[in-house]
Amino acid sequence: MSNPQTSLHVLLSQIEAYASKLSSEHQAYWSLHKLRFAQALRLVKTLKRELPIDSPILDIGNSFQTLLFADGFPKTPVDTLGYFDRTYHLQKPSRHFEYDLNQAIEKATWPTPPSSKYGIITFLEVIEHLYTSPLQVLPFLKTFLEPSGFLVIQTPNAAALKKRLKLLRGVNPYEKIRLDRSCPGHFREYTPDELSKMSAECGLLTRKVEYNNFTIDGSKWDRLWDRLANYLPRSFKSGFTMILQKPSEEI
């Protein structure tokens, strides 16, 4: 596939066709998040150029992006970790590590990483759903990364414009803790600065931060403020993607 733009378009069209056969809830999720899925695929394509060609990918919390990675990198192993959703079952051989990341508080529960570790771990729209500190989750994920490997995090921006405006009005912009833990909401959202500092404490280097407004949702006012944020400093946008890297040698 010589034309990266055409390649991306074809891959997204394939997943769009797959999503159209699923429930209305899955279709809505795809429509809301497909731009960030596309961004993740572009970033992973870029990062793979810095790694051995056969370096595998580990996706945390399988979803539509898992299918994109599998189709986009047919010769690359794509494994998964966390809760396994059979809606996104891969057609090619894949390993899955069943593990509740909230248990990372107990090091004794950590699954043993494979002998062949991962060049890229994607951690997309998951960290905000955890009630366990990143200071405990990130060191666990780091054990699955090969030296110089990358951890890609996508998550909402806790300091987005729409949230700042709600706070000024005395309204809590964050959702209540849900009664059903099998479908957890956002326990904690982060700013890039605090997440970068916690990552550094865990021995991970921040290579890049990209702000985005890919998932414009919520009330009509939320959507308006998200669009307005495109004309303001980037820290007002609704989400961000952070690329972390494991040092080639532990300090």
Side-chain angles (χ1 to χ4, degrees):
M1 294 182 287
S2 58
N3 187 332
Q5 293 299 324
T6 302
S7 170
L8 178 60
H9 175 73
V10 169
L11 290 168
L12 291 173
S13 296
Q14 290 172 349
I15 304 302
E16 181 105 39
Y18 176 72
S20 69
K21 301 174 185 177
L22 302 177
S23 68
S24 57
E25 182 180 356
H26 285 95
Q27 292 177 41
Y29 187 77
W30 165 256
S31 296
L32 181 62
H33 292 273
K34 61 184 176 182
L35 290 179
R36 73 170 182 83
F37 292 142
Q39 184 217 29
L41 182 61
R42 284 193 293 266
L43 286 174
V44 171
K45 279 181 175 287
T46 300
L47 295 175
K48 278 185 66 64
R49 298 189 190 112
E50 300 185 34
L51 299 167
I53 192 168
D54 58 347
S55 189
I57 296 171
L58 179 66
D59 185 37
I60 311 299
N62 68 321
S63 186
F64 287 111
Q65 78 278 348
T66 320
L67 304 178
L68 271 176
F69 298 152
D71 290 347
F73 309 107
K75 296 182 180 180
T76 298
V78 178
D79 296 334
T80 55
L81 183 149
Y83 166 75
F84 187 74
D85 188 336
R86 292 199 170 274
T87 305
Y88 312 105
H89 177 71
L90 298 182
Q91 298 303 311
K92 67 181 186 179
S94 173
R95 285 180 296 185
H96 176 69
F97 301 89
E98 187 74 22
Y99 186 61
D100 180 354
L101 285 170
N102 287 306
Q103 299 305 310
I105 188 173
E106 297 289 346
K107 195 170 183 179
T109 70
W110 291 8
T112 303
S115 55
S116 177
K117 296 190 178 182
Y118 296 91
I120 298 174
I121 297 177
T122 51
F123 196 26
L124 313 181
E125 300 284 322
V126 173
I127 196 169
E128 67 275 7
H129 294 278
L130 302 177
Y131 53 82
T132 297
S133 170
L135 293 174
Q136 294 161 318
V137 174
L138 295 178
F140 161 62
L141 294 180
K142 185 181 170 186
T143 66
F144 277 72
L145 268 181
E146 64 185 34
S148 300
F150 299 100
L151 174 60
V152 181
I153 300 177
Q154 279 183 340
T155 189
N157 176 17
L161 174 64
K162 61 186 175 186
K163 294 166 185 171
R164 301 187 197 201
L165 293 174
K166 284 184 178 179
L167 282 171
L168 285 173
R169 290 166 35 224
V171 176
N172 189 334
Y174 307 104
E175 68 173 299
K176 297 176 182 178
I177 294 176
R178 298 181 187 178
L179 298 177
D180 182 4
R181 189 165 287 183
S182 66
C183 183
H186 294 190
F187 285 104
R188 177 65 154 83
E189 295 184 6
Y190 302 90
T191 65
D193 184 59
E194 66 176 342
L195 197 52
S196 180
K197 287 177 180 177
M198 285 189 282
S199 300
E201 287 187 53
C202 300
L204 292 165
L205 311 173
T206 300
R207 279 281 302 268
K208 187 177 183 181
V209 177
E210 290 187 5
Y211 288 84
N212 63 71
N213 267 336
F214 290 144
T215 54
I216 298 178
D217 60 350
S219 70
K220 66 177 182 180
W221 293 109
D222 288 338
R223 296 192 295 272
L224 173 63
W225 304 136
D226 277 340
R227 291 188 176 94
L228 179 60
N230 288 321
Y231 303 97
L232 298 174
R234 61 180 191 161
S235 59
F236 286 94
K237 291 187 176 182
S238 63
F240 65 92
T241 302
M242 177 174 288
I243 299 174
L244 304 173
Q245 187 171 28
K246 182 177 180 177
S248 57
E249 295 182 4
E250 292 290 346
I251 299 173

